[in-house]
Amino acid sequence: MQPLKLVVVSAGLSQPSSTRLLADRLAEAARRHLAEERATEVRVVELRDLATDIANTMVTGFPGAALREAIEAVTEADGVIAVTPIFTASYSGLFKSFFDVIDNTALAGKPVLIAATGGTARHSLALEHALRPLFAYLRAIVVPTAVYAASEDWGTGGDDRTDGLAARISRAAEELAGLVLRRPAAAERIDAVIPFEQQLAALRP
């Protein structure tokens, strides 16, 4: 049985960044939940490293090799974790531009966990008024729990019962794992495709 493919898209701009830190924590929690049922491969796509390629692709329509590989990884993933910093109450331009250059059918039916970071908790509503509508438009299956981490969240300690951020991460990761495990893996979906000739033959009297 092929391992499940989990792809993490991180739009953090600094290095290191709280966005990447949140992305890593979500990925590890999801991998842990998935590992109970299936082996899982995790890949991180750092949009910071692809910024120039994304801008060129927006103008020319032709992605470079690195960006094309990242797009293929997201397209072939069994589940996606998408994390962005929040600027002016919305996702970053780099984050939006990456999903603009992906075919708008690539995420159809794919489980996606949305998450964001920001300086203040007042930006947390951006998950619901900006990110969730974006992925709903792309026909992804967005997990119910979205995760937002403000600056003060990183100073809290504790476990899933005492740390609000840890509890949200665990709950969202568990929801993502449940959706991924109920969906056939990429390789199995390819195997399940019925050739057009067979479909046509089945319609004949």
Side-chain angles (χ1 to χ4, degrees):
M1 187 176 291
Q2 293 290 329
L4 293 168
K5 297 178 181 179
L6 183 64
V7 173
V8 183
V9 178
S10 172
L13 299 180
S14 59
Q15 200 174 25
S17 72
S18 60
T19 300
R20 175 60 189 269
L21 177 60
L22 179 59
D24 288 343
R25 289 184 63 177
L26 287 165
E28 175 55 28
R31 187 202 60 75
R32 191 166 57 247
H33 284 293
L34 288 167
E36 297 174 2
E37 301 289 339
R38 292 279 297 273
T40 304
E41 296 176 350
V42 178
R43 171 170 178 175
V44 178
V45 174
E46 276 278 15
L47 299 187
R48 179 180 182 273
D49 300 333
L50 300 170
T52 301
D53 208 355
I54 290 171
N56 289 336
T57 303
M58 294 288 288
V59 175
T60 66
F62 298 101
L67 178 58
R68 187 165 57 249
E69 186 179 346
I71 291 172
E72 289 174 357
V74 171
T75 301
E76 296 171 2
D78 297 296
V80 173
I81 297 173
V83 191
T84 179
I86 298 299
F87 299 132
T88 321
S90 190
Y91 38 62
S92 73
L94 179 61
F95 182 85
K96 179 61 162 59
S97 295
F98 176 71
F99 287 100
D100 281 344
V101 300
I102 294 179
D103 187 280
N104 60 13
T105 65
L107 296 179
K110 195 183 301 293
V112 174
L113 190 167
I114 56 173
T117 58
T120 171
R122 289 181 300 166
H123 287 305
S124 61
L125 286 177
L127 284 164
E128 303 302 328
H129 73 65
L131 271 78
R132 197 176 294 276
L134 168 65
F135 289 101
Y137 172 79
L138 295 173
R139 293 180 291 155
I141 302 174
V142 185
V143 304
T145 300
V147 180
Y148 180 83
S151 297
E152 60 265 25
D153 286 315
W154 299 110
T156 58
D159 55 23
D160 290 357
R161 296 181 299 278
T162 60
D163 177 7
L165 178 58
R168 294 195 299 274
I169 288 173
S170 179
R171 183 168 63 248
E174 185 174 8
E175 291 170 355
L176 177 66
L179 289 171
V180 169
L181 291 170
R182 286 196 293 271
R183 184 174 186 253
E188 294 167 1
R189 292 196 299 274
I190 293 172
D191 292 341
V193 172
I194 301 174
F196 177 72
E197 293 80 3
Q198 292 184 26
Q199 298 181 47
L200 188 61
L203 295 174
R204 291 173 183 154

